[in-house]
């Protein structure tokens, strides 16, 4: 009975959390090993690479969901006529930023996957040095920091939207409390992500 | 002193549905307790613009003049609202009046809101009780629920929520927040609930509930304070359950 749009939107929302959101948390956690030094990061990255049926896991839990989420997300983003200049409400800003962070992420992730996973498939070793080399470039460093903040924001705010779109939170109070909770998620994940980036550029830096 | 005071009003005008919009400025003498409607009537009485040129009287719609019919909705100083309840003394001048461009403009400030009526028909925003014989009295509604439902029933189909919504536009077929909230109202009614699944299936279709992106401008803009986003979130829950029932099958009656 349900129309394709309804199913696609719900699927889009669900995939954003499982597996994409979960993968983001795992990914940022693996990165965080860099704060314990190159050896630690290489060990963690090698463990991920050594998982059995890795290609299957990658295709089913990463590539396909991200492709669907990205392509359908671009369609959703361009369907809106954003109006934050006229309606500067908090949620409207979140609506606006969710769409623009998503569009930015399509570009960022395409670049990021090209530079790391595809480079690895083409023969470059994926290790601490690879990221240290990429991030030695100041422009790339800024690009990665914005990319991580966009991803973490998109995930945190998407967590809120997921709860609303699946009818988990209904009342205004439930929605408000969930907003606060997702702000906390954003701050914590942003810290994990940014700190890991600086572990590649300034290995001694502690904060 | 007050005899010399004037108010400047800038109206976005359009001579017909396909004509190019243009701005025309008017200056009218100030009177106490004016609202946008009485200011427009003043212009209509003497349709001469600020340059002294005679022009056609601006067109707009109005009916109840007490913010219950929704006919006089227009964009006043950038915000969609009813002209009747917009008091001149509380508005920044010059006052800018524009039509709600989410809807097709008929002429000047008058827009065609019939898409909202179409949406209400589509979602079956009524309780079907007609038949060939007397069905007798329906189930009763608890008073507390009636009071709650009354808030949802205040919707006057004014179109402000559609105007404020970033997802109601020419690129999407989203029906908008108002008819969705009516689904919740009629599904909450003990007799209306007999068509609950039918209404849910409709809003699970094209241009329905899924097109909401939760910018929540609607609930902030609604002149009647209707909890539109709460209705939408509640319908999200109802449709999620309905879709599971449809997919897996259900014995639930």
């Amino acid at each position: 009975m349900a129309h394709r749009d309804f199913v696609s939107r719900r699927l889009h929302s669900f995939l954003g959390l499982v597996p994409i959101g979960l993968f983001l948390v795992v990914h940022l956690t693996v990165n965080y090993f860099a704060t314990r030094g190159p050896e630690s990061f290489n060990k963690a990255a090698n463990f991920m690479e050594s998982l059995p049926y890795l290609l299957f896991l990658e295709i089913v839990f990463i590539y396909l969901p991200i492709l669907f989420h990205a392509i359908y997300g671009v369609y959703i983003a361009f369907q809106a006529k954003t109006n934050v200049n006229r309606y500067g409400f908090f949620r409207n800003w979140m609506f606006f930023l969710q769409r623009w962070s998503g569009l930015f992420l399509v570009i960022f992730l395409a670049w990021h996957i090209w530079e790391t996973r595809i480079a690895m498939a083409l023969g470059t070793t994926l290790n601490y040095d690879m990221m240290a080399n990429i991030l030695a470039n100041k422009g790339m460093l800024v690009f990665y920091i914005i990319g991580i903040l966009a991803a973490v924001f998109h995930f945190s705010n998407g967590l809120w939207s997921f709860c609303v779109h699946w009818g988990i939170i209904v009342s205004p109070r439930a929605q408000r409390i969930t907003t606060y909770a997702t702000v906390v998620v954003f701050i914590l994940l942003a810290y994990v992500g940014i700190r890991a980036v600086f572990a590649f550029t300034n290995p001694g830096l502690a904060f | 002193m007050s005899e010399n005071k004037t108010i400047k009003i800038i109206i976005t005008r359009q001579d017909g549905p396909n004509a190019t919009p243009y701005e025309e400025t008017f200056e009218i003498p100030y009177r106490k307790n004016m609202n946008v409607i009485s200011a427009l009537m003043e212009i209509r009485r003497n349709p001469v613009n600020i340059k002294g040129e005679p022009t056609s009287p601006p067109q707009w719609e109005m009916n109840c003049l007490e913010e219950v019919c929704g006919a006089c909705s227009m964009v006043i100083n950038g915000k969609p609202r009813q002209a009747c309840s917009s008091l001149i003394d509380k508005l920044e001048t010059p006052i800018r009046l524009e039509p709600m461009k989410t809807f097709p403009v008929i002429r000047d400030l008058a827009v065609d809101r019939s898409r909202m009526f179409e949406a209400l028909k589509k979602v079956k925003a009524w309780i079907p009780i007609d038949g060939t014989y007397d069905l007798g009295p329906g189930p009763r509604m608890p008073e507390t629920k009636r009071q709650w439902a009354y808030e949802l029933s205040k919707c006057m189909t004014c179109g402000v929520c559609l105007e404020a919504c970033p997802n109601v536009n020419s690129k999407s077929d989203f029906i908008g927040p108002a008819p969705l909230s009516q689904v919740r109202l009629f599904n909450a009614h003990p007799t209306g609930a007999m068509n609950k699944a039918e209404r849910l299936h409709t809003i699970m279709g094209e241009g329905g509930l899924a097109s909401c992106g939760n910018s929540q401008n609607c609930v902030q803009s609604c002149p009647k304070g209707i909890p539109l986003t709460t209705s939408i979130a509640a319908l999200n829950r109802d449709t999620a359950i309905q879709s599971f029932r449809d997919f897996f099958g259900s014995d639930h009656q």
Side-chain angles (χ1 to χ4, degrees):
Chain A
M1 280 300 263
H3 190 264
R4 210 180 36 172
D5 277 356
F6 179 83
V7 177
S8 306
R9 285 292 279 248
R10 289 285 159 106
L11 185 65
H12 179 259
S13 172
F14 182 77
L15 290 178
L17 180 66
V18 184
I20 303 170
L22 289 180
F23 170 68
L24 176 72
V25 175
V26 171
H27 188 349
L28 292 177
T29 306
V30 171
N31 297 354
Y32 199 75
F33 275 96
T35 61
R36 296 181 182 171
E39 257 66 290
S40 239
F41 175 78
N42 288 342
K43 223 174 100 188
N46 285 338
F47 169 72
M48 296 307 283
E49 281 168 34
S50 70
L51 287 175
Y53 39 84
L54 180 68
L55 194 64
F56 173 81
L57 293 177
E58 282 182 321
I59 290 173
V60 174
F61 291 106
I62 305 174
Y63 303 144
L64 291 180
I66 286 186
L67 268 179
F68 177 81
H69 193 85
I71 294 167
Y72 197 68
V74 169
Y75 166 73
I76 291 174
F78 283 110
Q79 226 178 21
K81 267 189 188 163
T82 52
N83 52 15
V84 281
N85 50 335
R86 276 169 75 171
Y87 308 91
F89 308 117
F90 173 77
R91 268 291 144 215
N92 198 26
W93 270 104
M94 294 299 108
F95 174 92
F96 175 82
L97 291 174
Q98 188 71 1
R99 274 140 192 83
W100 280 101
S101 61
L103 291 175
F104 176 76
L105 283 168
V106 173
I107 299 164
F108 173 75
L109 290 179
W111 185 262
H112 175 57
I113 293 165
W114 166 253
E115 240 182 356
T116 56
R117 186 63 185 86
I118 296 177
M120 184 178 114
L122 296 177
T124 321
T125 330
L126 198 154
N127 57 15
Y128 179 91
D129 295 335
M130 177 198 242
M131 280 320 293
N133 285 336
I134 290 172
L135 295 172
N137 179 326
K138 285 279 174 286
M140 268 298 143
L141 180 65
V142 172
F143 187 55
Y144 267 78
I145 289 174
I146 298 173
I148 289 168
L149 287 178
V152 169
F153 170 82
H154 197 83
F155 169 66
S156 312
N157 191 49
L159 207 56
W160 182 89
S161 314
F162 170 84
C163 292
V164 174
H165 283 133
W166 282 85
I168 297 164
I169 50 172
V170 171
S171 72
R173 188 175 155 81
Q175 296 192 2
R176 201 164 53 245
I177 291 171
T178 310
T179 299
Y180 298 142
T182 54
V183 168
V184 173
V185 170
F186 172 76
I187 292 169
L188 294 177
L189 281 180
Y191 173 79
V192 169
I194 302 294
R195 172 127 195 246
V197 166
F198 283 109
F200 287 100
T201 58
N202 311 57
L205 191 74
F207 65 95
Chain B
M1 188 191 112
S2 63
E3 293 109 84
N4 303 328
K5 206 174 151 190
T6 57
I7 317 153
K8 218 184 254 183
I9 299 178
I10 304 166
I11 304 177
T12 301
R13 305 197 57 179
Q14 186 172 326
D15 293 340
N18 299 314
T20 315
Y22 60 95
E23 280 188 356
E24 194 161 36
T25 309
F26 296 89
E27 198 162 25
I28 54 160
Y30 173 83
R31 270 185 290 117
K32 260 178 131 179
N33 300 327
M34 280 181 114
N35 61 6
V36 169
I37 297 277
S38 65
L40 282 168
M41 285 171 148
E42 189 63 37
I43 295 172
R44 185 167 67 179
R45 212 167 58 85
N46 179 28
V48 175
N49 67 23
I50 198 163
K51 289 182 256 172
E53 301 158 349
T55 182
S56 58
Q59 298 294 302
W60 75 93
E61 278 193 308
M62 58 175 169
N63 189 12
C64 76
L65 304 179
E66 55 178 357
E67 205 190 64
V68 291
C69 79
C72 66
S73 308
M74 57 183 73
V75 178
I76 300 168
N77 285 349
K79 294 271 182 290
R81 52 189 297 189
Q82 279 69 53
C84 63
S85 54
S86 301
L87 303 179
I88 298 291
D89 289 335
K90 293 190 176 168
L91 291 172
E92 203 177 299
T93 50
I95 296 163
R96 289 178 181 274
L97 304 180
E98 299 159 72
M100 295 198 297
K101 289 211 185 69
T102 296
F103 300 93
V105 176
I106 300 170
R107 184 172 180 161
D108 297 333
L109 301 168
V111 295
D112 179 3
R113 289 178 297 130
S114 52
R115 61 169 289 176
M116 294 191 75
F117 186 53
E118 294 306 320
L120 290 175
K121 286 195 279 188
K122 195 175 159 189
V123 302
K124 204 167 197 150
W126 69 88
I127 292 165
I129 50 166
D130 292 340
T132 50
Y133 63 97
D134 186 0
L135 295 167
R140 287 181 65 87
M141 192 177 203
E143 172 59 13
T144 47
K145 194 173 182 185
R146 185 203 61 76
Q147 285 178 8
W148 167 86
Y150 183 68
E151 295 304 316
L152 300 183
S153 74
K154 283 180 179 173
C155 179
M156 53 191 181
T157 329
C158 69
V160 163
C161 57
L162 272 76
E163 175 70 17
C165 179
N167 275 0
V168 175
N169 60 51
S170 50
K171 293 181 280 183
S172 119
D173 49 10
F174 185 31
I175 56 171
L180 291 177
S181 191
Q182 291 303 296
V183 169
R184 194 178 186 216
L185 171 67
F186 287 100
N187 277 358
H189 190 279
T191 311
M194 294 171 187
N195 300 85
K196 188 176 174 180
E198 184 187 343
R199 291 194 193 89
L200 292 179
H201 283 141
T202 308
I203 61 168
M204 283 156 79
E206 225 169 316
L209 187 64
S211 301
C212 168
N214 259 287
S215 79
Q216 305 209 339
N217 287 348
C218 56
V219 74
Q220 300 273 3
S221 306
C222 177
K224 305 313 271 184
I226 298 169
L228 294 164
T229 50
T230 311
S231 287
I232 288 172
L235 291 170
N236 275 330
R237 179 177 290 181
D238 292 345
T239 50
I241 294 167
Q242 185 65 45
S243 64
F244 292 146
R245 277 189 192 141
D246 293 344
F247 187 77
F248 295 108
S250 169
D251 205 26
H252 179 86
Q253 289 307 316

